[in-house]
């Protein structure tokens, strides 16, 4: 079966522009996560969606970052007015949901974002 | 608050030698512990995890890890390294909190396997 997919795989943008990153979770997974992987900060949690519940946005680094999940499936991470420090690999993961914090998260290949 | 420390950002072993990647965690409640592997330009793949029960956990590709509560450790081992094991390895912790399921990752250990 298909795994988690992300698009685009690479994105180059200019400082100040907005970008949208897309994540398609594994079919049937109700939980979806976004993480950021950067040289200086390692792997950081950004946001977590579980079904129709309010998302856990506690990891978003600033109000320039937002995410939505439509229809309980596809998610879009939006970064407004990009800055050079936003350059990183953005990873999406999904899990079955409802089992608890020990359940496995399945990761996509990531979107590599470069802000010039 | 939970945290993960991986000792050694780079580890180099010879092919056929023992692999030992160290992970120590800090958690105020019983933790759930994970090891993920990341190959170049790929996402993370689960190697193994500890939730409850047996403290020695076996994973894919011949890897295993032992949860030692007294030492707050979850070190990853493999008896004999293979060239294909060269990758970056991340230890992660998830607390038993239904409101939050995000993983907290260590800084990673890059494993090199010399022929």
């Amino acid at each position: 079966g298909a795994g988690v997919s992300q698009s685009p795989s690479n994105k180059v943008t200019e400082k100040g522009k907005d970008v949208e990153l897309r994540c398609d979770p594994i079919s049937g997974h109700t939980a979806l996560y976004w993480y950021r992987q950067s040289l200086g900060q390692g792997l950081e949690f950004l946001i977590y969606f579980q079904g129709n519940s309010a998302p856990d946005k506690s990891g978003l680094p600033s109000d320039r970052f937002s995410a939505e999940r439509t229809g309980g499936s596809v998610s879009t991470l939006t970064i407004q007015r990009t800055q050079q420090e936003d350059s990183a690999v953005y990873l999406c993961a999904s899990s079955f949901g409802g089992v608890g914090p020990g359940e496995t998260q399945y990761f996509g290949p990531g979107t590599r974002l470069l802000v010039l | 608050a939970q945290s993960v420390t991986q000792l050694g950002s780079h580890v180099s072993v010879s092919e056929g030698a023992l692999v030992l990647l160290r992970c120590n965690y800090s958690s105020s409640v019983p933790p759930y512990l994970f090891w993920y592997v990341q190959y170049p330009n790929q996402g993370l793949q689960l190697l193994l995890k500890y939730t409850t029960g047996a403290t020695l956990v076996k994973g894919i590709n011949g890897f295993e890890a032992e949860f030692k509560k007294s030492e707050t450790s979850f070190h990853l081992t493999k008896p004999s390294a293979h060239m294909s094991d060269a990758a970056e390895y991340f230890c992660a912790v998830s607390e038993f909190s239904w409101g939050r399921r995000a993983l907290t990752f260590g800084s990673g250990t890059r494993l090199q396997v010399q022929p």
Side-chain angles (χ1 to χ4, degrees), chain B residues 32-104:
Chain B
Y32 289 70
L33 296 159
F34 304 77
W35 275 100
Y36 280 87
V37 61
Q38 186 177 34
Y39 298 100
N41 299 316
Q42 294 187 27
L44 280 71
Q45 179 183 6
L46 181 72
L47 276 177
L48 49 81
K49 66 179 180 181
Y50 169 78
T51 54
T52 59
T55 57
L56 181 63
V57 180
K58 295 186 183 299
I60 62 171
N61 301 338
F63 284 94
E64 62 182 36
E66 186 171 11
F67 170 60
K68 292 187 176 180
K69 184 178 178 180
S70 62
E71 299 177 8
T72 61
S73 69
F74 191 56
H75 302 331
L76 182 70
T77 60
K78 181 175 181 177
S80 177
H82 191 272
M83 296 296 290
S84 61
D85 295 327
E88 188 152 23
Y89 293 79
F90 293 91
C91 182
V93 64
S94 175
E95 286 190 347
F96 187 66
S97 167
W98 284 88
R100 175 78 181 267
R101 296 188 196 170
L103 295 171
T104 298

XYZ file of all heavy atoms in Angstrom, chain B residues 32-104:
591
model
N 7.550 5.910 26.330
C 7.507 5.037 25.175
C 8.720 5.439 24.330
O 8.917 6.617 24.061
C 6.216 5.238 24.379
C 4.996 4.706 25.079
C 4.507 5.340 26.228
C 4.325 3.585 24.615
C 3.382 4.855 26.887
C 3.199 3.093 25.254
C 2.744 3.731 26.397
O 1.636 3.247 27.043
N 9.531 4.481 23.918
C 10.824 4.775 23.288
C 10.908 4.176 21.906
O 10.420 3.057 21.676
C 11.960 4.253 24.171
C 12.065 4.936 25.530
C 12.833 4.078 26.519
C 12.716 6.305 25.393
N 11.528 4.897 21.013
C 11.596 4.514 19.612
C 13.013 4.708 19.080
O 13.734 5.614 19.517
C 10.660 5.389 18.762
C 9.224 5.401 19.201
C 8.812 6.147 20.300
C 8.270 4.674 18.508
C 7.486 6.164 20.704
C 6.938 4.690 18.897
C 6.559 5.438 19.997
N 13.371 3.885 18.105
C 14.544 4.133 17.274
C 14.076 4.180 15.820
O 13.400 3.262 15.337
C 15.600 3.041 17.428
C 16.528 3.232 18.569
C 16.489 2.632 19.788
C 17.695 4.078 18.595
N 17.532 3.054 20.568
C 18.286 3.930 19.857
C 18.293 4.933 17.655
C 19.460 4.612 20.230
C 19.438 5.602 18.021
C 20.011 5.443 19.300
N 14.472 5.284 15.150
C 14.195 5.442 13.731
C 15.516 5.519 12.983
O 16.526 6.005 13.510
C 13.403 6.722 13.467
C 11.921 6.637 13.723
C 11.399 6.887 14.994
C 11.029 6.332 12.697
C 10.034 6.822 15.229
C 9.661 6.267 12.919
C 9.176 6.509 14.185
O 7.802 6.451 14.410
N 15.495 5.091 11.718
C 16.658 5.213 10.852
C 16.290 6.088 9.649
O 15.149 6.055 9.169
C 17.162 3.827 10.379
C 16.110 3.078 9.582
C 18.442 3.969 9.542
N 17.258 6.904 9.230
C 17.034 7.768 8.074
C 18.164 7.578 7.078
O 19.331 7.875 7.381
C 16.943 9.236 8.488
C 16.571 10.174 7.362
C 16.413 11.610 7.812
O 17.116 12.078 8.704
N 15.470 12.326 7.210
N 17.839 7.083 5.897
C 18.798 6.971 4.812
C 18.821 8.285 4.047
O 17.849 9.055 4.096
C 18.450 5.789 3.910
C 18.492 4.461 4.637
C 17.324 3.853 5.096
C 19.707 3.838 4.912
C 17.366 2.661 5.796
C 19.758 2.643 5.618
C 18.583 2.063 6.056
O 18.624 0.887 6.755
N 19.891 8.583 3.335
C 20.019 9.868 2.645
C 18.807 10.197 1.783
O 18.325 9.350 1.023
C 21.274 9.679 1.799
C 22.084 8.684 2.567
C 21.097 7.743 3.174
N 18.314 11.422 1.954
C 17.201 11.960 1.172
C 15.919 11.131 1.311
O 15.102 11.084 0.387
C 17.587 12.069 -0.307
C 18.761 13.007 -0.506
O 18.795 14.093 0.085
N 19.728 12.588 -1.286
N 15.772 10.505 2.443
C 14.562 9.742 2.705
C 13.968 10.163 4.042
O 14.596 10.857 4.832
C 14.849 8.236 2.712
C 15.280 7.677 1.368
C 15.393 6.180 1.384
O 14.719 5.487 2.156
N 16.259 5.647 0.532
N 12.744 9.736 4.274
C 12.108 9.979 5.560
C 12.611 9.017 6.610
O 13.553 8.258 6.388
N 11.985 9.033 7.761
C 12.391 8.180 8.864
C 11.627 6.859 8.808
O 10.431 6.826 8.524
C 12.109 8.857 10.205
C 13.118 9.894 10.677
C 13.041 11.153 9.844
C 12.888 10.220 12.141
N 12.335 5.787 9.116
C 11.743 4.450 9.144
C 11.910 3.864 10.536
O 13.000 3.910 11.109
C 12.437 3.561 8.109
C 11.909 2.131 8.071
C 12.672 1.265 7.085
O 13.663 1.686 6.494
N 12.213 0.048 6.908
N 10.841 3.323 11.076
C 10.906 2.745 12.410
C 11.762 1.481 12.406
O 11.552 0.566 11.609
C 9.510 2.408 12.919
C 9.461 1.814 14.324
C 9.786 2.882 15.369
C 8.098 1.190 14.605
N 12.728 1.437 13.337
C 13.532 0.237 13.548
C 12.895 -0.655 14.609
O 12.775 -1.867 14.436
C 14.926 0.610 14.032
C 15.991 0.976 13.011
C 17.268 1.369 13.735
C 16.246 -0.160 12.051
N 12.528 -0.043 15.726
C 11.932 -0.772 16.834
C 11.370 0.220 17.828
O 11.664 1.407 17.758
C 12.963 -1.687 17.522
C 14.306 -1.085 17.914
C 14.237 -0.308 19.219
C 15.370 -2.162 18.016
N 10.558 -0.301 18.756
C 9.995 0.548 19.793
C 9.746 -0.250 21.061
O 9.531 -1.464 21.016
C 8.701 1.221 19.331
C 7.552 0.253 19.092
C 6.296 1.021 18.655
C 5.121 0.070 18.416
N 3.903 0.817 17.961
N 9.791 0.468 22.186
C 9.431 -0.102 23.480
C 8.185 0.616 23.991
O 8.166 1.853 24.069
C 10.566 0.069 24.487
C 10.124 -0.259 25.892
C 9.999 -1.582 26.308
C 9.770 0.749 26.783
C 9.553 -1.888 27.580
C 9.327 0.440 28.060
C 9.208 -0.872 28.448
O 8.749 -1.168 29.704
N 7.182 -0.175 24.313
C 5.980 0.406 24.908
C 5.816 -0.137 26.325
O 6.038 0.552 27.297
C 4.732 0.121 24.063
O 4.619 -1.292 23.840
C 4.836 0.811 22.706
N 5.465 -1.397 26.457
C 5.392 -2.050 27.762
C 5.853 -3.484 27.579
O 6.040 -3.958 26.456
C 3.964 -2.061 28.331
O 3.117 -2.739 27.403
C 3.439 -0.662 28.552
N 6.039 -4.203 28.710
C 6.382 -5.611 28.599
C 7.871 -5.849 28.535
O 8.649 -5.192 29.237
N 8.279 -6.769 27.709
C 9.681 -7.181 27.617
C 10.581 -5.988 27.357
O 10.309 -5.172 26.473
C 9.851 -8.221 26.518
N 11.648 -5.919 28.125
C 12.540 -4.757 28.025
C 13.542 -4.891 26.897
O 14.142 -3.896 26.493
C 13.282 -4.543 29.350
O 13.997 -5.735 29.684
C 12.303 -4.197 30.468
N 13.750 -6.103 26.388
C 14.627 -6.299 25.237
C 13.734 -6.364 24.001
O 12.896 -7.252 23.870
C 15.446 -7.575 25.381
C 16.418 -7.869 24.232
C 17.482 -6.779 24.134
C 17.071 -9.235 24.420
N 13.954 -5.416 23.137
C 13.088 -5.281 21.969
C 13.889 -5.589 20.709
O 14.978 -5.065 20.526
C 12.522 -3.846 21.875
C 11.622 -3.710 20.664
C 11.779 -3.475 23.150
N 13.327 -6.426 19.872
C 13.987 -6.752 18.602
C 13.295 -6.008 17.468
O 12.058 -5.875 17.453
C 13.937 -8.266 18.363
C 14.739 -9.061 19.395
C 14.802 -10.526 19.051
C 15.534 -11.321 20.123
N 16.944 -10.867 20.285
N 14.110 -5.529 16.544
C 13.565 -4.776 15.441
C 13.965 -5.349 14.101
O 14.386 -6.489 13.992
N 13.863 -4.501 13.093
C 14.194 -4.940 11.751
C 15.701 -4.890 11.524
O 16.430 -4.231 12.272
C 13.472 -4.085 10.693
C 13.905 -2.615 10.789
C 11.959 -4.212 10.844
C 13.393 -1.755 9.652
N 16.135 -5.589 10.491
C 17.540 -5.567 10.057
C 18.523 -6.025 11.134
O 19.688 -5.632 11.107
C 17.936 -4.165 9.569
C 17.072 -3.684 8.416
O 16.457 -4.485 7.713
N 16.979 -2.390 8.233
N 18.066 -6.846 12.062
C 18.944 -7.408 13.074
C 19.247 -6.508 14.258
O 20.077 -6.845 15.104
N 18.606 -5.365 14.338
C 18.833 -4.451 15.459
C 17.977 -4.839 16.668
O 16.899 -5.409 16.529
C 18.488 -3.015 15.053
C 19.524 -2.372 14.181
C 19.415 -2.414 12.796
C 20.612 -1.717 14.747
C 20.372 -1.830 11.995
C 21.576 -1.126 13.946
C 21.454 -1.177 12.571
N 18.472 -4.516 17.849
C 17.715 -4.669 19.072
C 18.110 -3.578 20.056
O 19.139 -2.924 19.900
C 17.904 -6.054 19.693
C 19.300 -6.393 20.119
C 19.389 -7.811 20.684
O 18.684 -8.719 20.180
O 20.189 -8.007 21.619
N 17.253 -3.362 21.030
C 17.522 -2.352 22.048
C 16.957 -2.840 23.368
O 15.966 -3.568 23.406
C 16.899 -1.017 21.668
N 17.583 -2.416 24.442
C 17.142 -2.810 25.772
C 16.767 -1.593 26.590
O 17.567 -0.660 26.736
C 18.217 -3.607 26.504
C 17.731 -4.170 27.845
C 18.711 -5.140 28.461
O 19.851 -5.243 27.988
O 18.309 -5.797 29.450
N 15.550 -1.600 27.120
C 15.087 -0.532 27.997
C 15.586 -0.810 29.413
O 15.292 -1.853 29.993
C 13.555 -0.477 27.987
C 12.946 0.424 29.032
C 13.254 1.774 29.044
C 12.085 -0.074 30.002
C 12.697 2.612 30.011
C 11.515 0.750 30.950
C 11.823 2.100 30.958
N 16.371 0.126 29.949
C 16.876 0.001 31.309
C 16.401 1.206 32.100
O 16.974 2.301 32.006
C 18.396 -0.089 31.325
C 18.932 -1.378 30.714
C 20.435 -1.496 30.915
C 20.954 -2.836 30.378
N 22.416 -2.977 30.574
N 15.352 0.987 32.886
C 14.750 2.091 33.632
C 15.731 2.701 34.629
O 15.808 3.917 34.779
C 13.499 1.593 34.360
C 12.727 2.664 35.093
C 11.485 2.091 35.743
C 10.732 3.152 36.521
N 9.514 2.594 37.168
N 16.499 1.838 35.299
C 17.422 2.332 36.326
C 18.506 3.226 35.740
O 19.033 4.105 36.413
C 18.068 1.156 37.063
O 18.820 0.364 36.164
N 18.832 3.019 34.484
C 19.862 3.812 33.822
C 19.255 4.851 32.872
O 19.997 5.585 32.229
C 20.809 2.889 33.032
C 21.542 1.882 33.899
C 22.415 0.945 33.086
O 22.579 1.148 31.866
O 22.947 -0.022 33.688
N 17.958 4.884 32.779
C 17.220 5.740 31.817
C 17.867 5.656 30.442
O 18.153 6.677 29.809
C 17.123 7.200 32.304
O 18.432 7.765 32.441
C 16.377 7.300 33.616
N 18.091 4.420 29.992
C 18.763 4.236 28.707
C 17.956 3.342 27.786
O 17.118 2.538 28.231
C 20.160 3.647 28.921
O 20.078 2.321 29.381
N 18.244 3.464 26.519
C 17.599 2.633 25.490
C 18.591 2.531 24.335
O 18.380 3.026 23.249
C 16.278 3.278 25.048
C 15.404 2.402 24.183
C 14.999 1.151 24.614
C 14.953 2.844 22.949
C 14.174 0.341 23.831
C 14.132 2.052 22.151
C 13.750 0.807 22.587
N 19.710 1.882 24.585
C 20.785 1.786 23.599
C 20.440 0.796 22.487
O 19.854 -0.264 22.736
C 22.092 1.354 24.267
C 22.542 2.276 25.364
N 22.261 3.622 25.386
C 23.273 2.018 26.482
C 22.793 4.176 26.468
N 23.415 3.221 27.145
N 20.872 1.115 21.293
C 20.609 0.306 20.103
C 21.846 -0.513 19.774
O 22.952 0.040 19.753
C 20.253 1.210 18.925
C 19.903 0.535 17.602
C 18.551 -0.178 17.689
C 19.881 1.574 16.478
N 21.669 -1.792 19.503
C 22.810 -2.636 19.177
C 22.501 -3.521 17.974
O 21.342 -3.805 17.655
C 23.212 -3.546 20.353
O 22.106 -4.387 20.694
C 23.618 -2.733 21.570
N 23.599 -3.934 17.325
C 23.526 -4.931 16.269
C 24.833 -5.715 16.318
O 25.903 -5.098 16.353
C 23.318 -4.294 14.896
C 23.209 -5.315 13.767
C 22.883 -4.662 12.439
C 22.767 -5.730 11.346
N 22.386 -5.155 10.033
N 24.777 -7.028 16.366
C 26.000 -7.806 16.579
C 27.040 -7.634 15.476
O 28.235 -7.625 15.758
C 25.494 -9.256 16.626
C 24.049 -9.164 16.953
C 23.574 -7.885 16.340
N 26.582 -7.481 14.241
C 27.519 -7.451 13.122
C 27.059 -6.423 12.095
O 26.014 -6.576 11.470
C 27.594 -8.845 12.479
O 28.436 -8.833 11.359
N 27.864 -5.372 11.945
C 27.491 -4.289 11.041
C 27.614 -4.700 9.584
O 28.531 -5.442 9.195
C 28.376 -3.076 11.310
N 26.701 -4.154 8.792
C 26.722 -4.362 7.348
C 26.853 -3.000 6.688
O 26.406 -1.995 7.237
C 25.432 -5.071 6.910
C 25.471 -5.566 5.508
N 25.103 -4.785 4.435
C 25.829 -6.771 4.996
C 25.239 -5.475 3.325
N 25.678 -6.680 3.624
N 27.437 -2.984 5.501
C 27.609 -1.717 4.795
C 26.282 -0.982 4.632
O 26.228 0.248 4.690
C 28.237 -1.954 3.423
C 29.643 -2.529 3.454
S 30.832 -1.409 4.220
C 30.922 -0.140 2.971
N 25.207 -1.737 4.447
C 23.888 -1.117 4.243
C 23.332 -0.459 5.505
O 22.301 0.212 5.443
C 22.889 -2.156 3.739
O 22.742 -3.191 4.683
N 23.995 -0.646 6.642
C 23.540 -0.015 7.889
C 23.965 1.444 7.984
O 23.535 2.158 8.897
C 24.082 -0.772 9.101
C 23.535 -2.183 9.210
O 22.375 -2.408 8.820
O 24.289 -3.060 9.673
N 24.804 1.888 7.086
C 25.256 3.281 7.114
C 24.071 4.209 6.902
O 23.395 4.153 5.874
C 26.303 3.504 6.048
N 23.808 5.029 7.885
C 22.626 5.899 7.875
C 22.686 6.766 9.125
O 23.629 6.684 9.913
C 21.341 5.075 7.860
N 21.640 7.577 9.316
C 21.526 8.334 10.555
C 20.420 7.715 11.403
O 19.356 7.358 10.881
C 21.226 9.800 10.284
C 21.299 10.662 11.542
C 21.680 12.101 11.252
O 21.473 12.563 10.119
O 22.181 12.771 12.192
N 20.687 7.616 12.684
C 19.778 6.943 13.606
C 19.297 7.929 14.665
O 20.087 8.672 15.240
C 20.482 5.747 14.270
C 20.794 4.646 13.284
C 21.890 4.741 12.428
C 19.981 3.528 13.187
C 22.160 3.747 11.505
C 20.254 2.517 12.268
C 21.342 2.648 11.432
O 21.609 1.648 10.516
N 18.000 7.906 14.890
C 17.384 8.819 15.850
C 16.649 8.035 16.926
O 15.836 7.156 16.630
C 16.389 9.751 15.156
C 17.010 10.719 14.206
C 17.157 10.403 12.864
C 17.467 11.956 14.656
C 17.735 11.300 11.980
C 18.050 12.860 13.779
C 18.182 12.530 12.439
N 16.918 8.393 18.157
C 16.178 7.887 19.299
C 15.086 8.904 19.626
O 15.301 10.121 19.484
C 17.134 7.715 20.477
S 16.398 7.036 21.969
N 13.928 8.431 20.032
C 12.824 9.339 20.320
C 12.013 8.825 21.496
O 11.979 7.626 21.771
C 11.930 9.511 19.098
N 11.343 9.740 22.165
C 10.504 9.397 23.319
C 9.134 10.027 23.161
O 8.990 11.115 22.605
C 11.178 9.864 24.640
C 11.311 11.375 24.690
C 10.401 9.365 25.848
N 8.140 9.296 23.617
C 6.770 9.806 23.645
C 6.216 9.537 25.032
O 6.266 8.410 25.503
C 5.920 9.110 22.597
O 4.564 9.508 22.694
N 5.704 10.550 25.684
C 5.186 10.360 27.025
C 3.785 9.775 26.978
O 3.062 9.953 26.008
C 5.171 11.693 27.779
C 6.538 12.152 28.224
C 6.452 13.341 29.163
O 5.386 13.943 29.273
O 7.481 13.658 29.775
N 3.403 9.144 28.084
C 2.065 8.595 28.192
C 1.106 9.713 28.537
O 0.707 9.892 29.667
C 2.008 7.497 29.245
C 0.686 6.792 29.282
C 0.273 6.019 28.214
C -0.152 6.915 30.371
C -0.948 5.369 28.239
C -1.381 6.266 30.404
C -1.776 5.489 29.350
N 0.794 10.489 27.534
C -0.113 11.611 27.716
C -1.045 11.637 26.522
O -0.631 11.876 25.407
C 0.676 12.919 27.802
O -0.191 14.018 27.679
N -2.317 11.400 26.761
C -3.251 11.282 25.638
C -3.427 12.601 24.907
O -3.866 12.641 23.779
C -4.595 10.782 26.131
C -4.542 9.329 26.427
C -4.192 8.755 27.599
C -4.817 8.256 25.527
N -4.239 7.392 27.498
C -4.608 7.053 26.249
C -5.208 8.193 24.194
C -4.797 5.799 25.662
C -5.388 6.948 23.618
C -5.178 5.775 24.357
N -3.127 13.687 25.553
C -3.309 14.966 24.887
C -2.179 15.324 23.944
O -2.313 16.249 23.155
N -1.094 14.624 24.024
C 0.067 15.017 23.226
C 0.776 13.758 22.772
O 1.141 12.940 23.586
C 1.009 15.874 24.080
C 2.321 16.262 23.452
C 2.171 17.395 22.473
N 3.433 17.744 21.862
C 4.245 18.683 22.308
N 3.918 19.359 23.379
N 5.361 18.932 21.698
N 0.943 13.596 21.507
C 1.585 12.388 21.017
C 2.820 12.676 20.187
O 3.320 11.802 19.515
C 0.606 11.573 20.177
C -0.567 11.059 20.952
C -1.357 10.114 20.114
N -2.676 9.886 20.678
C -3.653 9.254 20.074
N -3.472 8.788 18.874
N -4.813 9.083 20.655
N 3.263 13.898 20.212
C 4.447 14.227 19.427
C 5.655 13.502 19.975
O 5.784 13.281 21.182
C 4.691 15.725 19.469
N 6.542 13.123 19.086
C 7.799 12.515 19.484
C 8.829 13.603 19.766
O 8.899 14.603 19.053
C 8.321 11.607 18.373
C 7.468 10.366 18.055
C 7.986 9.681 16.800
C 7.481 9.399 19.224
N 9.616 13.380 20.798
C 10.781 14.218 21.065
C 12.006 13.423 20.645
O 12.235 12.319 21.157
C 10.869 14.586 22.548
O 9.703 15.342 22.914
C 12.110 15.439 22.805
